[in-house]
Amino acid sequence: HGHDLRGKAPYEINRMGLSRSFQITNIFPKMTVFENVRCSLLWSMGYRYSFWNMVARSRALNEGAERILDQINLARRRDIPAGLLSYAEQRALEIGITIAGGADVIMLDEPTAGMSHSETDYIVELIRDVTEGKTLVMVEHDMGVVFGLADRISVLVYGEIIATGAPEEVRANPRVQEAYLGAALEAEH
């Protein structure tokens, strides 16, 4: 939104409306799924550093957490420790944590890495739903995921952008085809 982010602390950037999720899942495994989401809502709902606020009694905070749990399809798992979730559910929880602060720019680093096809389909649909109306910036190596979500794609090979454009343009780009199909052909031989 025209703000310079250089030199800003991560929490300051987050409060400016940009939120990110890393490739390695980062949740509170011993806290419940609900508590993880509720924690991520605290600052955006006006809770500051205070020992006097009883967050468990805050109707607005708890309802906000329930809404996010519904949105990420984890309402039925709300009371279990987050560390007991499947890998795909932990990724869904982390995406819920990422969107909880109300950011309008979401950055995801390989959100489907290490997932089965069915888990990937689940996460792609979740990402599509929770980022609707927001800007999504994503690093992803699974071209099916990229073409399934992106309006605009930039392809990097060895740190160089070789193509940028709409999915159809990128898919038809000879340099992209050579970079990815050539590597696939070499791997077969």
Side-chain angles (χ1 to χ4, degrees), residues 46-66:
Y47 289 86
R48 302 300 183 255
Y49 304 108
S50 170
F51 293 104
W52 314 119
N53 284 327
M54 297 296 290
V55 296
R57 294 184 190 158
S58 171
R59 183 175 177 181
L61 184 62
N62 292 326
E63 287 175 354
E66 295 290 353

Side-chain angles (χ1 to χ4, degrees), residues 1 3 23 27-29 31 40 42 63 67 71 84 88 98-99 107 109 129-130 142 157 159 162 170 188:
H1 302 299
H3 299 284
Q23 182 177 356
I27 58 173
F28 297 108
M31 292 172 60
S40 63
L42 290 171
E63 287 175 354
R67 273 192 305 279
Q71 196 174 9
L84 297 179
T98 302
I99 65 166
M107 298 176 68
D109 185 10
D129 290 345
V130 301
D142 183 328
V157 175
I162 64 166
V170 170
E188 287 178 11

Side-chain angles (χ1 to χ4, degrees), residues 11-84:
Y11 72 89
E12 293 173 309
I13 294 169
N14 180 266
R15 292 175 188 163
M16 294 171 73
L18 188 148
S19 190
R20 64 184 181 191
S21 172
F22 296 102
Q23 182 177 356
I24 297 172
T25 305
N26 192 13
I27 58 173
F28 297 108
K30 294 183 179 179
M31 292 172 60
T32 68
V33 172
F34 177 81
E35 290 167 336
N36 269 265
V37 172
R38 186 172 58 190
C39 281
S40 63
L41 285 168
L42 290 171
W43 191 271
S44 67
M45 294 192 71
Y47 289 86
R48 302 300 183 255
Y49 304 108
S50 170
F51 293 104
W52 314 119
N53 284 327
M54 297 296 290
V55 296
R57 294 184 190 158
S58 171
R59 183 175 177 181
L61 184 62
N62 292 326
E63 287 175 354
E66 295 290 353
R67 273 192 305 279
I68 289 173
L69 288 175
D70 285 337
Q71 196 174 9
I72 61 173
N73 303 313
L74 289 177
R76 63 178 173 44
R77 310 278 279 161
R78 73 181 299 284
D79 295 321
I80 68 165
L84 297 179

Side-chain angles (χ1 to χ4, degrees), residues 41 49 59 115-116 141 154 163:
L41 285 168
Y49 304 108
R59 183 175 177 181
M115 291 188 185
S116 69
H141 292 94
S154 290

